[in-house]
Amino acid sequence: MMELHVCNQAGAVLKAFALGDIAEIIVGRDSSCDIQIRAKTVSREHCSIESEGEEFVLRDLDSSCGTFLDGNKIEHIRLEDGMEINVGPAILKFYDSGL
C-alpha cells in the first residue's frame, strides 16, 4: 500500500493518507478537494492521484503554476517509493508501506 505525507517546505508532516481506498483523489485549493492546500500558487483542482491496479499515477489537472518533480514540470507520472512532488508550497511525499 502506498502512503502520502503532505509536508511543508521545512519537511514537517502536516497530514498523512493511505492511498488505495479511493479510485481518485483530487488535490487542490478548493474546499471540495480530497486534499486541500490553501495557497495562491495551488489551483482549485491542481492534480489527481489515481489508482491503476496496484500502481498509482499522479496527473496535473492543467494547473496554472504546475506540478513538479526534481524541479521539472510534469503532466503525469507513475508514483514510486520515495518520490517527492511539489504542489505550490507543499511537498507530497510517497512511501510504499509494504502492506
Side-chain angles (χ1 to χ4, degrees), residues 75-96:
E75 291 184 25
H76 60 85
I77 193 163
R78 185 177 61 82
L79 297 172
E80 297 178 7
D81 182 45
M83 247 181 206
E84 295 185 5
I85 306 289
N86 291 83
V87 174
I91 302 169
L92 307 181
K93 295 184 179 184
F94 295 91
Y95 299 100
D96 186 352

Side-chain angles (χ1 to χ4, degrees), residues 19-54:
L19 303 179
D21 295 335
I22 302 172
E24 180 182 53
I25 295 171
I26 303 294
V27 179
R29 190 179 71 233
D30 196 79
S31 62
S32 67
C33 291
D34 301 300
I35 298 174
Q36 187 179 20
I37 301 170
R38 294 183 196 150
K40 291 180 182 181
T41 54
V42 176
S43 294
R44 285 186 189 101
E45 290 189 348
H46 196 96
C47 62
S48 68
I49 301 166
E50 304 166 15
S51 66
E52 293 185 353
E54 296 286 320

Side-chain angles (χ1 to χ4, degrees), residues 64-79:
S64 54
C65 291
T67 303
F68 296 86
L69 171 66
D70 297 328
N72 299 309
K73 192 172 184 177
I74 57 172
E75 291 184 25
H76 60 85
I77 193 163
R78 185 177 61 82
L79 297 172

Side-chain angles (χ1 to χ4, degrees), residues 5-14 91 93 95:
H5 295 179
V6 179
C7 304
N8 63 17
Q9 291 293 318
V13 177
L14 304 174
I91 302 169
K93 295 184 179 184
Y95 299 100

